[in-house]
Amino acid sequence: MSVALVAGSANPALADSVSRELGLPLTQRVIERFPDTELHVELLESVRGKDVYILQPTAPPVNESLVELALLADASRRAGAASLTAVVPYFAYARQDRRAKGRESVAARLVADLIATSGVQKVIAVDLHTSTLEGFFPTPIEHLSAVPLLAAALRHYAESAAVIVAPDLGAVKLAERYAGLMGLPMAVVHKMRVSPEAVKVAGVVGDVAGRTPVIVDDMISTGGTIEAAVQSVLAAGSRPEPVVAASHLLLVGRCVERLGDLGLRRLVGANTLPVSIDIGLHPEVVDLGPLLAEAIRRLSCDQSLAEMAWRG
Ligand code: R5P
């Protein structure tokens, strides 16, 4: 196959993993910054006539990662790529998918447009905040999921007396998937967000008493949602030492401290974003390199992704 794998700088470990799985070295490139902070990218190898896959989650700092992705796409397009696919395991701005108060931007739509405008013809995404975001992209999108892999990892920590907990109403469908895969009951925390860092809880729906809570979300950002969920399930009589899982471990702001104070049995996540091993929480991080490599392999041979073993 005539494939080139170009990695941005947002998640080098994941890029190495995908490259290893595919047995395909990363295309040499330069990513540098001009004195005025502008980014500059250059591909050091030819991609002419190749199916180019650009791996770049829009990881924090999200605007830097996004512009890097767009510049790498533009450079690949101008260098004669036969096709251009952006592999964006974490899609930032996803939570800004509607105008909640008026006079706001629908940033998720704009960002999807920006990615397409840079020359990207197809996007591979993982566990988008909502599946309706698929319709925001003018390009075709392959929506993969880390949930089956995370559910498999969670089996080590969740015994039969466990309960899957959705930490807010938006996570109900996700929790249903985990509950189905793991054969566990589920409960829902009724959360309301009062600011970007703070949430308050109105109650828990479902039976958590005497059970080990396994709280699942698509992303953990400041940790406010998980903290509120843990406090509410404990108040509702759950066992201590909750287990927490998410596809995207942003862990920004006071998140590590917050989670550190919750007495978690385990934090389980995927490596859509770089996770520092020094954070002290000792998360179990599931490598998505094999999943993304298989998707790339299949797409480059026009094979269906529907039969992928790990597809959610
Ligand atoms: C919200 O709808 C998301 O699914 C997450 O629950 C939320 O974004 C997590 O943010 P934080 O960790 O800052 O509460």
Side-chain angles (χ1 to χ4, degrees):
M1 61 186 176
S2 184
V3 171
L5 182 62
V6 178
S9 64
N11 195 340
L14 181 60
D16 285 343
S17 174
V18 175
S19 160
R20 234 182 359 259
E21 289 291 327
L22 285 172
L24 180 69
L26 296 169
T27 299
Q28 298 287 311
R29 68 355 179 213
V30 169
I31 299 172
E32 61 189 357
R33 191 175 288 281
F34 287 151
D36 64 356
T37 75
E38 273 179 19
L39 280 169
H40 171 251
V41 308
E42 182 186 355
L43 302 179
L44 300 179
E45 294 174 65
S46 173
V47 295
R48 188 167 300 282
K50 296 193 175 177
D51 294 327
V52 175
Y53 291 81
I54 300 174
L55 178 77
Q56 174 81 331
T58 48
V62 296
N63 298 330
E64 300 290 320
S65 300
L66 178 63
V67 174
E68 216 181 81
L69 168 63
L71 296 188
L72 286 170
D74 187 57
S76 304
R77 178 175 68 88
R78 292 175 192 279
S83 73
L84 197 46
T85 302
V87 184
V88 190
Y90 169 71
F91 177 66
Y93 287 101
R95 288 171 289 179
Q96 296 189 52
D97 58 351
R98 64 191 182 287
R99 295 194 302 164
K101 295 188 206 128
R103 296 200 294 278
E104 294 174 307
S105 166
V106 184
R109 172 60 205 251
L110 177 68
V111 170
D113 280 343
L114 283 174
I115 292 173
T117 301
S118 66
V120 167
Q121 296 158 319
K122 180 176 279 190
V123 172
I124 300 176
V126 177
D127 291 328
L128 288 167
H129 178 55
T130 62
S131 54
T132 50
L133 284 167
E134 289 181 25
F136 283 37
F137 284 85
T139 57
I141 181 159
E142 304 291 348
H143 191 181
L144 306 180
S145 180
V147 169
L149 293 167
L150 294 175
L154 282 171
R155 287 208 179 88
H156 299 293
Y157 310 107
E159 61 280 5
S160 55
V163 56
I164 301 291
V165 178
D168 58 25
L169 299 177
V172 169
K173 283 212 169 312
L174 181 71
E176 278 171 3
R177 287 185 62 207
Y178 278 98
L181 286 163
M182 298 175 68
L184 290 171
M186 64 173 275
V188 181
V189 175
H190 186 185
K191 167 195 105 173
M192 285 162 292
R193 185 166 286 284
V194 288
S195 78
E197 299 83 28
V199 295
K200 80 175 182 196
V201 166
V204 179
V205 182
D207 189 9
V208 297
R211 291 182 168 271
T212 299
V214 179
I215 303 169
V216 296
D217 209 345
D218 61 326
M219 67 179 86
I220 301 174
S221 182
T222 66
T225 301
I226 296 298
E227 183 180 48
V230 167
Q231 287 164 352
S232 26
V233 291
L234 288 175
S238 78
R239 283 195 192 161
E241 300 195 342
V243 181
V244 170
S247 301
H248 312 295
L249 300 179
L250 283 155
L251 312 183
V252 298
R254 291 185 47 244
C255 186
V256 171
E257 264 174 275
R258 259 176 165 162
L259 299 189
D261 289 343
L262 296 176
L264 302 186
R265 178 163 177 209
R266 199 69 162 164
L267 170 65
V268 177
N271 63 346
T272 60
L273 295 159
V275 181
S276 164
I277 49 164
D278 305 328
I279 58 173
L281 285 169
H282 308 296
E284 176 166 342
V285 180
V286 174
D287 180 17
L288 296 192
L291 173 77
L292 296 173
E294 188 179 346
I296 291 172
R297 198 179 293 118
R298 282 175 177 259
L299 288 175
S300 60
C301 316
D302 283 335
Q303 271 179 12
S304 164
L305 300 194
E307 294 110 43
M308 274 175 62
W310 298 305
R311 182 128 193 183

